[in-house]
Amino acid sequence: MRARAKSGTATTISRLCLTSLVWLTRLRVMNAGSESMTEILIELHAHDPAQNRRRAWRVVAGADLFGLWIAHVSFGRIGAAGRTMRHEFTSEAAAIRFVRRGLHRRATAVRRLGVPYRPVEASPAADSLLIMTGLW
């Protein structure tokens, strides 16, 4: 015996949610070109075979569909699985401040590790941050 779908409030709400999700997805696809300026992507490598140092640090920060800023930070030895952490922020300024603190820490690697971090990949929005910290 088949269960019949009710045409009540629950079905109407689920249809509205599905329609909203479809429109949000379409809006995100249409605005994909404008989003690339606000998303921050930076990948740095510290490489010195003589000291057996091969480190990587990568951060990707951007806004999600609900306006929450999320930063994914991956770090570890190059070629190994490494570790990834996710941080959430309520504003763009807080996310940029977090990224800037991480870049300042990477800029002191010469003093701490004896090997400088070099940019491997960076988005256009990240150029000013790299210049401010002296990594670019």
Side-chain angles (χ1 to χ4, degrees):
M1 186 161 156
R2 283 180 118 175
R4 294 180 70 183
K6 294 181 181 178
S7 62
T9 308
T11 305
T12 305
I13 291 174
S14 64
R15 285 183 185 161
L16 284 173
C17 290
L18 183 60
T19 304
S20 298
L21 183 62
V22 168
W23 280 107
L24 283 173
T25 305
R26 287 181 184 168
L27 183 64
R28 187 161 174 94
V29 169
M30 288 188 315
N31 292 335
S34 63
E35 272 183 42
S36 63
M37 292 307 292
T38 59
E39 287 188 357
I40 299 170
L41 174 122
I42 300 171
E43 183 169 356
L44 305 173
H45 285 185
H47 184 76
D48 186 9
Q51 295 181 7
N52 195 24
R53 310 261 173 161
R54 293 170 182 86
R55 297 182 182 204
W57 187 79
R58 178 185 175 98
V59 63
V60 179
D64 66 357
L65 284 173
F66 304 107
L68 189 68
W69 276 79
I70 299 172
H72 293 274
V73 180
S74 304
F75 56 93
R77 188 170 172 87
I78 296 173
R83 184 173 176 186
T84 301
M85 298 172 66
R86 179 177 181 231
H87 302 272
E88 296 178 354
F89 305 96
T90 56
S91 68
E92 180 180 8
I96 290 174
R97 193 169 34 252
F98 172 78
V99 171
R100 194 179 319 127
R101 276 197 316 258
L103 288 173
H104 280 295
R105 177 76 174 165
R106 302 290 106 39
T108 63
V110 177
R111 185 180 69 231
R112 294 180 298 108
L113 307 172
V115 181
Y117 275 91
R118 305 271 184 226
V120 176
E121 184 179 1
S123 65
D127 289 344
S128 62
L129 291 170
L130 288 169
I131 291 169
M132 282 177 25
T133 56
L135 291 169
W136 195 258

